[in-house]
Amino acid sequence: MPAGDATAVHECPDCDVDALVIALTAAAPDTPRHLCFSCVTDFTDIALTSCEGGCGRLLRADAKDSTCLTCSLFSERS
């Protein structure tokens, strides 16, 4: 996951809900876990990247598109 504010809530790339957080657990306090509290996805072992359209939305690094739908639609209109 890109560096940023560890207290921020992000939009989940799987369910599109603002529920993705970086959490520290008692079991592994030195390893941040990237968890979505909406769809219950654990992104700790899944690479995430920021949208290349500039909005900062998180996307799976292995997604076929490197920009989110909103940025893609906006760039088509420009």
Side-chain angles (χ1 to χ4, degrees):
M1 174 176 280
D5 183 359
T7 61
V9 177
H10 302 276
E11 185 174 317
C12 175
D14 283 3
C15 70
D16 300 323
V17 174
D18 288 331
L20 180 66
V21 298
I22 301 169
L24 298 176
T25 64
D30 296 328
T31 305
R33 299 191 68 86
H34 307 101
L35 307 167
C36 178
F37 283 90
S38 178
C39 67
V40 197
T41 302
D42 182 347
F43 290 94
T44 301
D45 296 324
I46 300 170
L48 298 174
T49 188
S50 294
C51 171
E52 290 182 3
C55 71
R57 183 170 190 262
L58 296 176
L59 305 171
R60 286 179 174 252
D62 62 356
K64 73 175 190 171
D65 294 321
S66 59
T67 56
C68 71
L69 180 60
T70 302
C71 288
S72 294
L73 292 173
F74 182 75
S75 68
E76 288 178 6
R77 292 185 201 170
S78 301

